[in-house]
C-alpha cells in the first residue's frame, strides 16, 4: 500500500510498539510489564525494543514474562499500529512517522514546533499526554510527572545551592541560629504545590505565589502557615525573586507555552549565585533567561545566577517515574487501542482533548493558537 492510499487509523489497534527513548539521559520507558499484561489480556500484542526498560531497572526478561515480544531495533517497535513513548520524537525518529500511525506520548508541541511540523507533514495521528483533560480542567496524565518534577525541584535546587556546584553555599534548612534558604515557588498547581511541600519539609522558608486565591486558601488549610502564600502580581514577584536563594518556576498553560513571569531584569536583581529551577522549560519556560539543558549538562550561569533547566526532570528517577506514568496512562492507552482513536475520542472527551494532530491538521485549539495555525475539531478529523 502506498503512502497516499493508507487510511487514517480509526479502527481498533492490535499491535503496540514501545521504543527505547533517545532523548539525552532519558531513562524512562513508556510501559511497565504490568501494562503489557493488561494490553495482552485485551488481545493487543506489545513489541518492546531490546533494552528499552534497562534505565528504569526493568529487564527484557520482565517484559517477556508479562507477554511482550522483544524486537531488536527501534524501526521494529515503530512499525506497529500504535507507538507509546515518554518524550516527543527526536529528529532521528521523524523518519518513523507515517500517516497510518497512532503516537501517544508527551509532545509539548507549543514548545517544540519542529516536532509539530514533522507530525503534520507525516499526517500522523498523535495524542499528547499533557493535553488529555477532564471536565474539571484536571490533566490526569500530566499530574504524575508534575508531582515527580515538583518533588525533584527542591532536591536539585539544594544540590546546586552548594558552593562546589556553583551556588551560594547554603543549606536548605539552615542550622540552629542560622536562617534557612528562602525558596520562592511560582505557581501552585501540581508542580508548584509539590515543590513547596518538599522545600518546607527540608525546613526552608517557602513562599508560594499564584493568581488563584482558592488554590492558595487550600494550601493554607493544608499546611497551616508553614508555607507562606502570596497573590501573584508583578510587584510581589519582583520583591520575592530579588530576596530568594532558590526560585522554582512551575507555571502551566495546558497545551500552550508557559507565560514568562520572571523578566531578565528580575534575574539581574537576584543574589549572586542564587539558583533558578524552571520546571516549565519543556513548555518554553516561565523565566525569560531560561534555555533548555540536559541531565548531562544541567546548569549554566547567567547574570551571576545558576540556571537549572532540564526538560525531562523525572528522567533522573526513571524507575519511580515509569511506574507513576504507566499507572496514569494505561487506562487511556488501553481505550485508544481497544476502541481505536475515533471511537475512544467520541466515548471520552478527555481523550478528544488529547488528540493533537490528525491527517496533517492540528486538532487541539490551544496548541494551534501557539503554533499560529487553524484548529480542526478532533472528532471531525478522526471521522
Amino acid at each position: 500500500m502506498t503512502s497516499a492510499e493508507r487510511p487514517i487509523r480509526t479502527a481498533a489497534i492490535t499491535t503496540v510498539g514501545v521504543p527505547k527513548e533517545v532523548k539525552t539521559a532519558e531513562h524512562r520507558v513508556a510501559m511497565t510489564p504490568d501494562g503489557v499484561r493488561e494490553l495482552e489480556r485485551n488481545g493487543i500484542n506489545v513489541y518492546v525494543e531490546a533494552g528499552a526498560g534497562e534505565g528504569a531497572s526493568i529487564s527484557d526478561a520482565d517484559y517477556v514474562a508479562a507477554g511482550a515480544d522483544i524486537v531488536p531495533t527501534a524501526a521494529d517497535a515503530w512499525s506497529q499500529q500504535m507507538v507509546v513513548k515518554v518524550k516527543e520524537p527526536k529528529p532521528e525518529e521523524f523518519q518513523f512517522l507515517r500517516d497510518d500511525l497512532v503516537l501517544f506520548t508527551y509532545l509539548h508541541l507549543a514548545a517544540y514546533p519542529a516536532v509539530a511540523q514533522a507530525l503534520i507533514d507525516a499526517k500522523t495521528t498523535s495524542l499528547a499526554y499533557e493535553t488529555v483533560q477532564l471536565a474539571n480542567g484536571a490533566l490526569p496524565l500530566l499530574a504524575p510527572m508534575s508531582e515527580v518534577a515538583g518533588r525533584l525541584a527542591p532536591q536539585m535546587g539544594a544540590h546546586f545551592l552548594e558552593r562546589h556546584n556553583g551556588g551560594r553555599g547554603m543549606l536548605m534548612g539552615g542550622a540552629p541560629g542560622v536562617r534557612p534558604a528562602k525558596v520562592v515557588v511560582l505557581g501552585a498547581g501540581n508542580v508548584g504545590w509539590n515543590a513547596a511541600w518538599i522545600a518546607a519539609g527540608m525546613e526552608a522558608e517557602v513562599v508560594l505565589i499564584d493568581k488563584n486565591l482558592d488554590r492558595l486558601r487550600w494550601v493554607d488549610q493544608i499546611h497551616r502557615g508553614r508555607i507562606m502564600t502570596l497573590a501573584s502580581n508583578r510587584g510581589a514577584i519582583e520583591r520575592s525573586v530579588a530576596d530568594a536563594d532558590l526560585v522554582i518556576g512551575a507555571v502551566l498553560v495546558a497545551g500552550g507555552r508557559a507565560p514568562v513571569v520572571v523578566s531578565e531584569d528580575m534575574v539581574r536583581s537576584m543574589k549572586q549565585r542564587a539558583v533558578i529551577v524552571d520546571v516549565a522549560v519543556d513548555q518554553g519556560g516561565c523565566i525569560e533567561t531560561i534555555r533548555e539543558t540536559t541531565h548531562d549538562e544541567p546548569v549554566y550561569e547567567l547574570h551571576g545566577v545558576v540556571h537549572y533547566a532540564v526538560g525531562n526532570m523525572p528522567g533522573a528517577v526513571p524507575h519511580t517515574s515509569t511506574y507513576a506514568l504507566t499507572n496514569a496512562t494505561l487506562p487511556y492507552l488501553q481505550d485508544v487501542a481497544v476502541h481505536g482513536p475515533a471511537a475512544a475520542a467520541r466515548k471520552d472527551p478527555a481523550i478528544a482533548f488529547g488528540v493533537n494532530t490528525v491527517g496533517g491538521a492540528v486538532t487541539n485549539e490551544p496548541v494551534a493558537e501557539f503554533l499560529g495555525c487553524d484548529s480542526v475539531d478532533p472528532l471531525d478529523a478522526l471521522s
Side-chain angles (χ1 to χ4, degrees), residues 11 40 119 142:
E40 293 280 346
L119 292 167
L142 190 62

Side-chain angles (χ1 to χ4, degrees), residues 7-21:
I8 295 171
R9 173 66 58 188
T10 57
I13 287 164
T14 59
T15 64
V16 171
V18 183
K20 187 174 184 177
E21 297 295 320

Side-chain angles (χ1 to χ4, degrees), residues 27-29 52-58 318-319 322-323:
H27 299 297
R28 288 173 290 179
V29 63
E54 286 180 359
S57 302
I58 303 172
H319 184 80
T322 291
Y323 279 87

Side-chain angles (χ1 to χ4, degrees), residues 115-381:
V115 176
Q117 193 59 55
L119 292 167
I120 291 167
D121 291 345
K123 300 184 178 180
T124 298
T125 298
S126 69
L127 296 92
Y129 297 149
E130 76 275 4
T131 64
V132 172
Q133 187 169 354
L134 303 180
N136 64 1
L139 303 170
L141 306 192
L142 190 62
M145 294 302 93
S146 295
E147 290 162 350
V148 170
R151 294 179 182 210
L152 268 175
Q155 182 175 314
M156 296 302 176
H159 179 71
F160 288 103
L161 272 174
E162 295 172 9
R163 181 70 182 193
H164 64 282
N165 291 322
R168 290 172 50 75
M170 296 190 71
L171 183 64
M172 285 280 274
V178 182
R179 66 171 288 268
K182 181 172 183 179
V183 178
V184 173
V185 182
L186 304 169
N190 279 330
V191 172
W193 175 64
N194 276 276
W197 183 15
I198 296 302
M202 298 170 79
E203 300 191 350
E205 177 186 333
V206 183
V207 177
L208 180 61
I209 301 177
D210 199 280
K211 62 182 181 181
N212 186 333
L213 297 183
D214 286 337
R215 183 69 173 178
L216 296 182
R217 287 190 186 100
W218 178 79
V219 172
D220 278 340
Q221 290 168 357
I222 295 294
H223 292 282
R224 300 180 181 274
R226 181 66 187 86
I227 296 172
M228 183 188 302
T229 58
L230 285 179
S232 179
N233 58 66
R234 188 175 181 86
I237 293 173
E238 282 181 347
R239 291 188 295 272
S240 299
V241 166
D243 195 34
D245 301 298
L246 169 62
V247 172
I248 297 174
V251 181
L252 168 72
V253 173
R257 195 191 188 286
V260 173
V261 297
V262 175
S263 68
E264 187 162 359
D265 284 343
M266 291 185 200
V267 174
R268 286 193 184 97
S269 76
M270 292 178 68
K271 300 171 184 175
Q272 289 293 293
R273 296 181 178 270
V275 175
I276 289 172
V277 175
D278 194 347
V279 186
V281 69
D282 59 359
Q283 291 182 288
C286 62
I287 314 291
E288 189 173 16
T289 52
I290 214 69
R291 58 174 172 80
E292 189 170 353
T293 61
T294 67
H295 288 293
D296 289 345
E297 296 183 29
V299 296
Y300 60 93
E301 185 179 315
L302 184 62
H303 303 314
V305 176
V306 178
H307 292 61
Y308 176 98
V310 175
N312 57 329
M313 284 181 65
V317 286
H319 184 80
T320 298
S321 298
T322 291
Y323 279 87
L325 180 62
T326 297
N327 288 345
T329 60
L330 184 59
Y332 294 91
L333 298 176
Q334 192 164 289
D335 273 354
V336 172
V338 170
H339 302 290
R346 284 195 298 268
K347 172 175 169 280
D348 187 349
I351 291 176
F353 277 117
V355 181
N356 277 208
T357 64
V358 177
V362 177
T363 53
N364 180 279
E365 193 169 335
V367 170
E369 180 182 345
F370 278 88
L371 293 174
C373 64
D374 294 331
S375 174
V376 176
D377 183 271
L379 296 181
D380 290 343

